[in-house]
Short mmCIF file of all heavy atoms in Angstrom, two decimals:
data_model
loop_
_atom_site.label_atom_id
_atom_site.label_comp_id
_atom_site.label_asym_id
_atom_site.label_seq_id
_atom_site.Cartn_x
_atom_site.Cartn_y
_atom_site.Cartn_z
N SER B 966 1.21 -76.63 0.14
CA SER B 966 0.99 -75.21 0.43
C SER B 966 1.63 -74.29 -0.61
O SER B 966 1.22 -73.16 -0.79
CB SER B 966 1.53 -74.86 1.82
OG SER B 966 2.89 -75.18 1.92
N SER B 967 2.64 -74.81 -1.30
CA SER B 967 3.30 -74.02 -2.35
C SER B 967 2.42 -73.88 -3.58
O SER B 967 2.70 -73.06 -4.46
CB SER B 967 4.61 -74.70 -2.75
OG SER B 967 4.33 -75.99 -3.29
N GLY B 968 1.38 -74.70 -3.63
CA GLY B 968 0.50 -74.72 -4.79
C GLY B 968 0.78 -75.88 -5.72
O GLY B 968 0.06 -76.07 -6.71
N ASN B 969 1.81 -76.64 -5.43
CA ASN B 969 2.12 -77.82 -6.24
C ASN B 969 0.99 -78.82 -6.17
O ASN B 969 0.51 -79.15 -5.08
CB ASN B 969 3.41 -78.47 -5.74
CG ASN B 969 3.83 -79.64 -6.59
OD1 ASN B 969 3.81 -79.55 -7.82
ND2 ASN B 969 4.18 -80.75 -5.97
N THR B 970 0.53 -79.28 -7.33
CA THR B 970 -0.61 -80.18 -7.37
C THR B 970 -0.31 -81.46 -8.15
O THR B 970 0.57 -81.49 -9.01
CB THR B 970 -1.82 -79.51 -8.04
OG1 THR B 970 -1.42 -79.01 -9.32
CG2 THR B 970 -2.38 -78.38 -7.19
N ASN B 971 -1.05 -82.50 -7.80
CA ASN B 971 -1.06 -83.75 -8.55
C ASN B 971 -2.51 -84.16 -8.70
O ASN B 971 -3.25 -84.16 -7.71
CB ASN B 971 -0.30 -84.85 -7.79
CG ASN B 971 1.16 -84.54 -7.64
OD1 ASN B 971 1.93 -84.61 -8.58
ND2 ASN B 971 1.56 -84.16 -6.43
N TYR B 972 -2.89 -84.51 -9.92
CA TYR B 972 -4.28 -84.86 -10.18
C TYR B 972 -4.40 -86.27 -10.73
O TYR B 972 -3.51 -86.76 -11.43
CB TYR B 972 -4.91 -83.89 -11.19
CG TYR B 972 -5.00 -82.46 -10.73
CD1 TYR B 972 -4.39 -81.43 -11.45
CD2 TYR B 972 -5.72 -82.12 -9.58
CE1 TYR B 972 -4.49 -80.11 -11.04
CE2 TYR B 972 -5.82 -80.80 -9.16
CZ TYR B 972 -5.21 -79.80 -9.89
OH TYR B 972 -5.30 -78.49 -9.47
N ASN B 973 -5.53 -86.89 -10.47
CA ASN B 973 -5.85 -88.15 -11.11
C ASN B 973 -6.11 -87.86 -12.59
O ASN B 973 -6.95 -87.02 -12.91
CB ASN B 973 -7.09 -88.77 -10.46
CG ASN B 973 -7.33 -90.20 -10.88
OD1 ASN B 973 -7.11 -90.56 -12.03
ND2 ASN B 973 -7.78 -91.02 -9.96
N PRO B 974 -5.41 -88.55 -13.48
CA PRO B 974 -5.62 -88.28 -14.91
C PRO B 974 -7.07 -88.42 -15.35
O PRO B 974 -7.49 -87.75 -16.30
CB PRO B 974 -4.74 -89.34 -15.59
CG PRO B 974 -3.66 -89.61 -14.60
CD PRO B 974 -4.33 -89.52 -13.26
N SER B 975 -7.82 -89.27 -14.65
CA SER B 975 -9.22 -89.48 -15.04
C SER B 975 -10.08 -88.25 -14.79
O SER B 975 -11.17 -88.13 -15.33
CB SER B 975 -9.79 -90.67 -14.26
OG SER B 975 -9.91 -90.37 -12.89
N LEU B 976 -9.58 -87.33 -13.95
CA LEU B 976 -10.34 -86.13 -13.60
C LEU B 976 -9.60 -84.84 -13.93
O LEU B 976 -10.15 -83.75 -13.74
CB LEU B 976 -10.68 -86.14 -12.11
CG LEU B 976 -11.57 -87.28 -11.62
CD1 LEU B 976 -11.57 -87.32 -10.09
CD2 LEU B 976 -13.00 -87.09 -12.14
N LYS B 977 -8.39 -84.99 -14.41
CA LYS B 977 -7.47 -83.85 -14.52
C LYS B 977 -8.03 -82.67 -15.30
O LYS B 977 -7.77 -81.51 -14.97
CB LYS B 977 -6.16 -84.32 -15.16
CG LYS B 977 -5.07 -83.28 -15.12
CD LYS B 977 -3.74 -83.87 -15.61
CE LYS B 977 -2.63 -82.85 -15.49
NZ LYS B 977 -1.31 -83.43 -15.86
N THR B 978 -8.82 -82.96 -16.34
CA THR B 978 -9.32 -81.86 -17.17
C THR B 978 -10.45 -81.09 -16.49
O THR B 978 -10.81 -80.00 -16.95
CB THR B 978 -9.84 -82.40 -18.51
OG1 THR B 978 -10.89 -83.34 -18.26
CG2 THR B 978 -8.73 -83.07 -19.31
N ARG B 979 -10.98 -81.64 -15.39
CA ARG B 979 -12.14 -81.01 -14.75
C ARG B 979 -11.89 -80.54 -13.33
O ARG B 979 -12.76 -79.91 -12.73
CB ARG B 979 -13.32 -81.99 -14.74
CG ARG B 979 -13.80 -82.42 -16.10
CD ARG B 979 -15.16 -83.10 -16.02
NE ARG B 979 -15.13 -84.38 -15.32
CZ ARG B 979 -15.92 -84.70 -14.30
NH1 ARG B 979 -16.82 -83.83 -13.86
NH2 ARG B 979 -15.85 -85.89 -13.74
N VAL B 980 -10.72 -80.84 -12.77
CA VAL B 980 -10.47 -80.56 -11.36
C VAL B 980 -9.43 -79.47 -11.19
O VAL B 980 -8.42 -79.44 -11.93
CB VAL B 980 -9.98 -81.83 -10.63
CG1 VAL B 980 -9.53 -81.51 -9.23
CG2 VAL B 980 -11.07 -82.87 -10.61
N VAL B 981 -9.68 -78.61 -10.22
CA VAL B 981 -8.68 -77.63 -9.81
C VAL B 981 -8.64 -77.62 -8.29
O VAL B 981 -9.68 -77.44 -7.64
CB VAL B 981 -9.00 -76.22 -10.33
CG1 VAL B 981 -7.98 -75.21 -9.79
CG2 VAL B 981 -9.00 -76.19 -11.85
N LEU B 982 -7.45 -77.82 -7.73
CA LEU B 982 -7.25 -77.71 -6.29
C LEU B 982 -6.50 -76.42 -5.99
O LEU B 982 -5.62 -76.02 -6.77
CB LEU B 982 -6.46 -78.89 -5.74
CG LEU B 982 -7.05 -80.29 -5.97
CD1 LEU B 982 -6.18 -81.34 -5.25
CD2 LEU B 982 -8.47 -80.38 -5.47
N SER B 983 -6.84 -75.81 -4.88
CA SER B 983 -6.14 -74.60 -4.46
C SER B 983 -6.01 -74.59 -2.95
O SER B 983 -6.72 -75.33 -2.26
CB SER B 983 -6.86 -73.35 -4.96
OG SER B 983 -8.17 -73.30 -4.46
N VAL B 984 -5.11 -73.76 -2.44
CA VAL B 984 -4.88 -73.67 -1.01
C VAL B 984 -4.83 -72.21 -0.61
O VAL B 984 -4.29 -71.36 -1.33
CB VAL B 984 -3.58 -74.41 -0.61
CG1 VAL B 984 -2.37 -73.82 -1.31
CG2 VAL B 984 -3.38 -74.41 0.90
N ASP B 985 -5.43 -71.90 0.52
CA ASP B 985 -5.39 -70.56 1.10
C ASP B 985 -4.82 -70.70 2.50
O ASP B 985 -5.53 -71.04 3.45
CB ASP B 985 -6.81 -69.96 1.14
CG ASP B 985 -6.83 -68.51 1.60
OD1 ASP B 985 -5.86 -68.08 2.27
OD2 ASP B 985 -7.80 -67.81 1.30
N THR B 986 -3.53 -70.45 2.63
CA THR B 986 -2.88 -70.64 3.92
C THR B 986 -3.34 -69.62 4.95
O THR B 986 -3.31 -69.88 6.14
CB THR B 986 -1.35 -70.59 3.77
OG1 THR B 986 -0.99 -69.36 3.13
CG2 THR B 986 -0.85 -71.76 2.95
N SER B 987 -3.76 -68.45 4.51
CA SER B 987 -4.20 -67.42 5.46
C SER B 987 -5.51 -67.82 6.14
O SER B 987 -5.79 -67.40 7.25
CB SER B 987 -4.37 -66.08 4.75
OG SER B 987 -5.42 -66.14 3.81
N ARG B 988 -6.30 -68.63 5.46
CA ARG B 988 -7.58 -69.10 6.00
C ARG B 988 -7.52 -70.55 6.47
O ARG B 988 -8.52 -71.08 6.94
CB ARG B 988 -8.68 -68.97 4.96
CG ARG B 988 -9.07 -67.54 4.61
CD ARG B 988 -10.27 -67.54 3.70
NE ARG B 988 -10.82 -66.19 3.54
CZ ARG B 988 -11.99 -65.93 2.95
NH1 ARG B 988 -12.72 -66.92 2.47
NH2 ARG B 988 -12.41 -64.69 2.84
N ASN B 989 -6.37 -71.20 6.31
CA ASN B 989 -6.24 -72.63 6.63
C ASN B 989 -7.30 -73.45 5.88
O ASN B 989 -7.99 -74.29 6.47
CB ASN B 989 -6.37 -72.87 8.13
CG ASN B 989 -5.14 -72.41 8.90
OD1 ASN B 989 -4.11 -72.11 8.31
ND2 ASN B 989 -5.25 -72.36 10.20
N GLN B 990 -7.39 -73.20 4.59
CA GLN B 990 -8.39 -73.88 3.78
C GLN B 990 -7.81 -74.43 2.49
O GLN B 990 -6.91 -73.84 1.89
CB GLN B 990 -9.55 -72.93 3.43
CG GLN B 990 -10.42 -72.56 4.60
CD GLN B 990 -11.56 -71.63 4.20
OE1 GLN B 990 -11.49 -70.92 3.18
NE2 GLN B 990 -12.63 -71.63 4.98
N ILE B 991 -8.36 -75.59 2.09
CA ILE B 991 -8.05 -76.18 0.79
C ILE B 991 -9.36 -76.24 0.03
O ILE B 991 -10.41 -76.52 0.62
CB ILE B 991 -7.48 -77.62 0.94
CG1 ILE B 991 -6.28 -77.61 1.87
CG2 ILE B 991 -7.09 -78.20 -0.41
CD1 ILE B 991 -6.58 -78.15 3.23
N SER B 992 -9.30 -76.00 -1.25
CA SER B 992 -10.51 -75.97 -2.05
C SER B 992 -10.41 -76.91 -3.24
O SER B 992 -9.32 -77.16 -3.76
CB SER B 992 -10.80 -74.55 -2.56
OG SER B 992 -11.04 -73.68 -1.48
N LEU B 993 -11.57 -77.40 -3.62
CA LEU B 993 -11.69 -78.26 -4.81
C LEU B 993 -12.78 -77.69 -5.69
O LEU B 993 -13.86 -77.34 -5.20
CB LEU B 993 -12.05 -79.69 -4.38
CG LEU B 993 -12.35 -80.72 -5.49
CD1 LEU B 993 -12.01 -82.13 -5.02
CD2 LEU B 993 -13.82 -80.70 -5.90
N LYS B 994 -12.49 -77.59 -6.97
CA LYS B 994 -13.50 -77.21 -7.96
C LYS B 994 -13.55 -78.32 -9.00
O LYS B 994 -12.51 -78.69 -9.57
CB LYS B 994 -13.18 -75.88 -8.63
CG LYS B 994 -13.30 -74.67 -7.72
CD LYS B 994 -13.12 -73.38 -8.49
CE LYS B 994 -13.05 -72.17 -7.59
NZ LYS B 994 -14.28 -71.98 -6.80
N LEU B 995 -14.75 -78.83 -9.23
CA LEU B 995 -14.97 -79.89 -10.22
C LEU B 995 -16.01 -79.38 -11.21
O LEU B 995 -17.14 -79.09 -10.82
CB LEU B 995 -15.44 -81.17 -9.55
CG LEU B 995 -15.70 -82.37 -10.45
CD1 LEU B 995 -14.41 -82.83 -11.12
CD2 LEU B 995 -16.34 -83.52 -9.68
N SER B 996 -15.62 -79.30 -12.46
CA SER B 996 -16.49 -78.71 -13.47
C SER B 996 -17.22 -79.77 -14.28
O SER B 996 -16.89 -80.95 -14.25
CB SER B 996 -15.67 -77.81 -14.41
OG SER B 996 -14.69 -78.58 -15.07
N SER B 997 -18.22 -79.32 -14.99
CA SER B 997 -19.00 -80.17 -15.91
C SER B 997 -19.44 -81.46 -15.24
O SER B 997 -19.24 -82.56 -15.77
CB SER B 997 -18.16 -80.48 -17.16
OG SER B 997 -17.75 -79.30 -17.80
N VAL B 998 -20.04 -81.32 -14.09
CA VAL B 998 -20.40 -82.52 -13.31
C VAL B 998 -21.55 -83.28 -13.96
O VAL B 998 -22.41 -82.70 -14.64
CB VAL B 998 -20.74 -82.16 -11.86
CG1 VAL B 998 -19.53 -81.57 -11.15
CG2 VAL B 998 -21.95 -81.23 -11.78
N THR B 999 -21.55 -84.57 -13.74
CA THR B 999 -22.62 -85.46 -14.18
C THR B 999 -23.04 -86.30 -12.98
O THR B 999 -22.44 -86.23 -11.90
CB THR B 999 -22.17 -86.37 -15.32
OG1 THR B 999 -21.24 -87.33 -14.82
CG2 THR B 999 -21.54 -85.58 -16.46
N ALA B 1000 -24.05 -87.15 -13.20
CA ALA B 1000 -24.51 -88.02 -12.12
C ALA B 1000 -23.39 -88.91 -11.60
O ALA B 1000 -23.39 -89.31 -10.44
CB ALA B 1000 -25.68 -88.86 -12.62
N ALA B 1001 -22.43 -89.22 -12.45
CA ALA B 1001 -21.31 -90.07 -12.04
C ALA B 1001 -20.41 -89.40 -11.00
O ALA B 1001 -19.58 -90.06 -10.38
CB ALA B 1001 -20.48 -90.46 -13.26
N ASP B 1002 -20.57 -88.11 -10.83
CA ASP B 1002 -19.78 -87.38 -9.82
C ASP B 1002 -20.47 -87.34 -8.46
O ASP B 1002 -19.92 -86.78 -7.50
CB ASP B 1002 -19.50 -85.95 -10.29
CG ASP B 1002 -18.62 -85.93 -11.53
OD1 ASP B 1002 -17.57 -86.61 -11.52
OD2 ASP B 1002 -18.98 -85.24 -12.51
N THR B 1003 -21.66 -87.91 -8.38
CA THR B 1003 -22.35 -88.01 -7.09
C THR B 1003 -21.53 -88.89 -6.15
O THR B 1003 -21.23 -90.05 -6.47
CB THR B 1003 -23.76 -88.60 -7.26
OG1 THR B 1003 -24.56 -87.67 -8.00
CG2 THR B 1003 -24.40 -88.88 -5.91
N ALA B 1004 -21.15 -88.34 -5.02
CA ALA B 1004 -20.24 -89.06 -4.11
C ALA B 1004 -20.12 -88.30 -2.80
O ALA B 1004 -20.49 -87.13 -2.70
CB ALA B 1004 -18.86 -89.21 -4.74
#
Side-chain angles (χ1 to χ4, degrees):
Chain B
S966 57
S967 62
N969 184 45
T970 53
N971 296 287
Y972 296 122
N973 192 322
S975 68
L976 297 168
K977 189 173 184 176
T978 60
R979 299 194 293 127
V980 172
V981 176
L982 301 185
S983 59
V984 60
D985 186 338
T986 55
S987 66
R988 291 187 169 190
N989 287 348
Q990 290 181 337
I991 306 104
S992 297
L993 174 152
K994 291 187 188 298
L995 181 64
S996 61
S997 303
V998 297
T999 70
D1002 295 311
T1003 293

